[in-house]
Amino acid sequence: MKHFVRTHFHCLSCFINCTSFKVTNSKMKLGVVLCDGADKWMSLYEPICNLCFKKESDCELRYYHAWNGEDMPTVQNTSDLDALICLGSAKMANDDSPWMKDLSNFFLSIENTPLKVLAVCFSHQLINKAYGGKVDVSNFGFIFGANVIKFTDVKDMPLKMGNIMKKYYGGKMKPELELNLLESHRDEVSELPPKAVLLGSSKQCKNEIILVRENILSMQAHPDLTPALMMEKIWPAIVKKGFFSVENRSAVEDEMKHVDTNLCLQIIRDFLTA
């Protein structure tokens, strides 16, 4: 469902269960880059991260508050991490704020390193821009709800990514893969960076899922959110501003009722641990 309203929400929700990571004789070390310091989200980051990432002390989390410009990830302070997840922001990737420039420079510094990276929504836009792509306002305005994303043919993917993805395709009887995923964004990656590979597209957003580099996966969709959190955290504000009426609630909830977040998370786990 598309709506011409600028609002935003980001938090980690039922994201990655660290028992999926196979790390020999040590904890999984996972970095989380926070790009939004709004109070309503900051209060949720730590408890949700602890709930979704940690289980019986299997995972060590490290937060980088990039949004304040004082706690930026660097090559040095991420060198011992197994993976890094970069989240969204109410800011726009084209704002070119100093902290965004610093974060972009960090993204460039980890090209084809052992560090696996997932970038979501705002970070998806920023990292693609850093590598030479373009970010513009979507022709559909602000997109809120769920979109069906169709993946490219596995044989057209780079070998390593294809090997990760092939088990999710249904063979000769089902050669295609589609996932219905949650979305909330106004801007989008309008042009891929050089050397990037498009992995998935939707009717409302061509460049939904991108393999920016062999070690960097980005997506416009939100595997870090649930429908319940979307309705709890953003729906009241949208109604208050008059962009929706209370009568629209059922239609919005129906649109998000059957999403493939869990399958998307499994793909992410496979990528981060491959």
Side-chain angles (χ1 to χ4, degrees), residues 30-31 39 60 92-93 143 154 167 190 196:
L30 182 66
D39 289 341
E60 176 184 325
M92 317 303 280
I143 298 170
V154 69
K167 72 177 182 181
S190 56

Side-chain angles (χ1 to χ4, degrees), residues 190-218:
S190 56
E191 184 176 316
L192 293 179
K195 301 180 183 179
V197 179
L198 181 63
L199 299 182
S201 302
S202 71
K203 291 182 178 179
Q204 292 186 325
C205 180
K206 178 181 179 181
N207 300 314
E208 285 273 11
I209 302 178
I210 302 169
L211 188 66
V212 184
R213 289 296 184 268
E214 189 175 273
N215 62 315
I216 302 172
L217 178 66
S218 73

Side-chain angles (χ1 to χ4, degrees), residues 139-204:
N139 291 332
F140 291 92
F142 195 94
I143 298 170
F144 175 79
N147 270 344
V148 175
I149 300 172
K150 181 178 180 180
F151 281 75
T152 58
D153 194 312
V154 69
K155 70 176 184 294
D156 295 326
M157 298 179 184
L159 182 60
K160 288 185 179 180
M161 195 68 203
N163 287 337
I164 293 171
M165 293 297 301
K166 63 183 180 182
K167 72 177 182 181
Y168 296 102
Y169 287 71
K172 293 182 179 179
M173 299 302 295
K174 188 181 177 183
E176 297 180 347
L177 175 64
E178 294 183 345
L179 297 182
N180 192 35
L181 299 177
L182 300 171
E183 304 223 356
S184 175
H185 63 99
R186 189 190 73 166
D187 288 1
E188 64 180 11
V189 176
S190 56
E191 184 176 316
L192 293 179
K195 301 180 183 179
V197 179
L198 181 63
L199 299 182
S201 302
S202 71
K203 291 182 178 179
Q204 292 186 325

Side-chain angles (χ1 to χ4, degrees), residues 47-219:
I48 294 179
C49 280
N50 288 338
L51 174 65
C52 301
F53 289 98
K54 288 185 177 181
K55 186 174 182 181
E56 297 177 357
S57 301
D58 289 335
C59 189
E60 176 184 325
L61 290 173
R62 184 182 305 163
Y63 299 94
Y64 300 91
H65 295 263
W67 58 273
N68 67 15
E70 298 177 358
D71 188 18
M72 195 69 57
T74 66
V75 172
Q76 291 74 27
N77 66 24
T78 61
S79 61
D80 63 330
L81 294 179
D82 297 296
L84 187 70
I85 294 174
C86 309
L87 300 178
S89 176
K91 303 297 183 181
M92 317 303 280
N94 286 327
D95 286 349
D96 290 329
S97 300
W99 71 268
M100 295 183 195
K101 294 179 180 179
D102 290 341
L103 187 55
S104 294
N105 288 333
F106 166 72
F107 288 150
L108 292 175
S109 73
I110 56 173
E111 178 178 9
N112 296 326
T113 65
L115 180 64
K116 292 292 188 70
V117 178
L118 171 71
V120 174
C121 197
F122 165 82
S123 293
H124 155 82
Q125 297 167 9
L126 188 66
I127 203 166
N128 278 278
K129 182 182 177 184
Y131 277 92
K134 293 184 179 180
V135 175
D136 291 300
V137 176
S138 169
N139 291 332
F140 291 92
F142 195 94
I143 298 170
F144 175 79
N147 270 344
V148 175
I149 300 172
K150 181 178 180 180
F151 281 75
T152 58
D153 194 312
V154 69
K155 70 176 184 294
D156 295 326
M157 298 179 184
L159 182 60
K160 288 185 179 180
M161 195 68 203
N163 287 337
I164 293 171
M165 293 297 301
K166 63 183 180 182
K167 72 177 182 181
Y168 296 102
Y169 287 71
K172 293 182 179 179
M173 299 302 295
K174 188 181 177 183
E176 297 180 347
L177 175 64
E178 294 183 345
L179 297 182
N180 192 35
L181 299 177
L182 300 171
E183 304 223 356
S184 175
H185 63 99
R186 189 190 73 166
D187 288 1
E188 64 180 11
V189 176
S190 56
E191 184 176 316
L192 293 179
K195 301 180 183 179
V197 179
L198 181 63
L199 299 182
S201 302
S202 71
K203 291 182 178 179
Q204 292 186 325
C205 180
K206 178 181 179 181
N207 300 314
E208 285 273 11
I209 302 178
I210 302 169
L211 188 66
V212 184
R213 289 296 184 268
E214 189 175 273
N215 62 315
I216 302 172
L217 178 66
S218 73
M219 59 182 63

